[in-house]
Amino acid sequence: MFRIMFYQPCIPPNTGNAIRLAANTGCELHLIEPLGFSMSDAQVKRAGLDYHEMANVTVHPNLVTAWTTLKPERVFAFTAHAERYHTDVDYRPGDVLLFGPEPTGLPDEVLAEPEVTDRVRIPMLAGRRSHNLANAASIVVYEAWRQNGFAGAV
């Protein structure tokens, strides 16, 4: 399936919701430290409900370790500064879907990483800054899963 990656997430409920997303879609969730919270935070657990045991979640100490562990062929970095829409990508299982922290998005140095194969955006109305992190991941994951015939879904 697909690999969701949150780079230095800051808001616990967003990560809890991403845990539910991963559990319900078969995606892996990769979190890059430092996190703005503890994984034992009550808000993470509350948002993730009882899905924590059903989700494949890995916390990496830094981005270099994540790249070494995952050895990704394709990494799509989601940024409001891209021209290409998320629906213009032909997603394949194993793709990494990289999202930045809630207040700032992905920093330039992460967008410039050699592992990043493409920058993509989710369309929204002019004058808006961004989508909620968990919602953005859901939009992209379901488009990628739809393109792949909702493999494994009931």
Side-chain angles (χ1 to χ4, degrees), residues 78-151:
F78 291 86
T79 172
H81 307 290
E83 298 297 321
R84 191 171 174 202
Y85 289 136
H86 76 288
T87 52
D88 296 332
V89 175
D90 291 323
Y91 297 98
R92 299 189 305 240
D95 285 346
V96 173
L97 312 171
L98 174 60
F99 299 88
E102 294 86 344
T104 60
L106 291 167
D108 290 338
E109 63 270 14
V110 172
L111 290 168
E113 287 279 323
E115 289 79 5
V116 173
T117 53
D118 204 350
R119 296 178 187 189
V120 219
R121 71 179 301 131
I122 299 169
M124 59 187 162
L125 295 176
R128 277 45 171 205
R129 190 182 60 210
S130 65
H131 289 280
N132 167 281
L133 179 59
N135 291 345
S138 295
I139 290 166
V140 175
V141 164
Y142 270 86
E143 171 61 16
W145 199 20
R146 181 197 66 79
Q147 288 182 16
N148 286 267
F150 294 110

Side-chain angles (χ1 to χ4, degrees), residues 4 7 11 15 25 30 38 42 72 110 116 141 148:
I4 305 162
Y7 178 79
I11 300 175
T15 297
T25 60
H30 296 270
S38 162
V110 172
V116 173
V141 164
N148 286 267

